Amino acid sequence: MRAFVIFLLFCLNLSAQNVNTEKCEGSLIEFGSFLNFNKFKTKQNAGVYAGYWYRFPADESKTHLELGTNFGYSKSLYEFNYGKNGLLYPIRSEEFVWNLGARMIKGYELRNNKIEWTSEFSLQTLFFNDGDIPKDEPLEKSDKENTIYIDTHSASFSTLKIGQGIRFWKNNVGIGVQASYLPYRLWYKQTAPEGFNTLSAEASLIFKF
């Protein structure tokens, strides 16, 4: 998590140092479909996602930074054992994902069309129904009095998302594809089962504003 925050701050600082910039639209609205390949899925369906990204101005090398977020849902079914306090709890759940992060974009021109190579480094969270996973120890009575607790009946794994992709633009409309790696066991070796790391494929339709 600390490395992810440091990387975002570095990207922002790098973007702020660009002096010779060209005009670049400020916002992207993105819609797409995704497939996460995980051996603990017993049912695989393509998911859908939508998101918003802010484009910083490009520098003289036609490179720019994007910061944003995506939300996704799939009817794919996960079945695995969730580890907690030395015990295993069976999970069967559909797929809910949230992504927050940065992309470095390099632009190219080809026959009056614009092509962009994307390198994504972000934080992705997979949410799932918590089944019979026991809750953490309750708060002390003095803490409960000033705390609002909402039980969403969900648990989650968060990890880094490392992706490479390409986008093709015609005016302010683009299409893109990307492949990504999600090492869920990076921070959850005792919780996520061995082999839970995931490969992802995405296709998107993008609008610039």
Side-chain angles (χ1 to χ4, degrees):
M1 181 70 75
R2 181 181 300 176
F4 173 73
V5 173
I6 292 173
F7 177 80
L8 284 184
L9 292 175
F10 172 77
C11 289
L12 285 171
N13 182 63
L14 187 64
S15 181
Q17 291 177 358
N18 293 330
V19 177
N20 299 319
T21 61
E22 61 182 36
K23 185 177 179 181
C24 184
E25 288 79 359
S27 296
L28 296 178
I29 300 296
E30 183 173 281
F31 303 94
S33 180
F34 69 92
L35 276 173
N36 288 332
F37 299 96
N38 185 299
K39 73 176 187 179
F40 291 93
K41 281 187 174 181
T42 58
K43 179 182 177 182
Q44 176 75 290
N45 283 326
V48 294
Y49 72 89
Y52 170 84
W53 293 77
Y54 179 79
R55 293 168 63 98
F56 287 85
D59 62 16
E60 63 277 2
S61 67
K62 297 184 179 180
T63 302
H64 70 271
L65 171 70
E66 295 177 359
L67 297 179
T69 186
N70 286 332
F71 296 89
Y73 166 72
S74 168
K75 289 187 176 181
S76 297
L77 284 178
Y78 285 87
E79 290 191 12
F80 63 94
N81 291 321
Y82 180 99
K84 185 172 183 178
N85 299 328
L87 299 174
L88 297 176
Y89 300 91
I91 296 296
R92 189 173 190 272
S93 176
E94 295 180 339
E95 186 174 30
F96 304 86
V97 293
W98 174 51
N99 173 263
L100 175 68
R103 295 170 177 165
M104 293 299 295
I105 312 296
K106 173 67 175 176
Y108 301 91
E109 299 289 339
L110 179 64
R111 296 180 181 178
N112 298 322
N113 294 316
K114 188 171 183 180
I115 300 174
E116 292 179 337
W117 185 261
T118 66
S119 299
E120 181 172 342
F121 187 79
S122 57
L123 183 70
Q124 179 150 314
T125 301
L126 168 66
F127 296 94
F128 49 87
N129 299 328
D130 61 3
D132 296 323
I133 300 173
K135 307 301 179 185
D136 293 328
E137 291 297 322
L139 299 172
E140 297 294 333
K141 184 176 181 180
S142 58
D143 295 330
K144 286 183 178 180
E145 294 176 356
N146 298 315
T147 302
I148 298 176
Y149 178 73
I150 300 176
D151 187 358
T152 60
H153 300 289
S154 66
S156 65
F157 293 141
S158 294
T159 190
L160 299 177
K161 179 181 180 182
I162 305 164
Q164 295 286 306
I166 190 168
R167 302 193 299 209
F168 302 89
W169 291 94
K170 186 66 175 180
N171 298 322
N172 288 335
V173 179
I175 57 173
V177 292
Q178 180 171 302
S180 305
Y181 178 60
L182 301 131
Y184 281 108
R185 279 176 53 84
L186 179 66
W187 298 322
Y188 294 90
K189 286 184 172 61
Q190 304 303 318
T191 305
E194 187 172 350
F196 202 83
N197 294 341
T198 300
L199 294 175
S200 175
E202 303 159 27
S204 59
L205 177 64
I206 316 142
F207 300 92
K208 285 195 285 191
F209 297 93

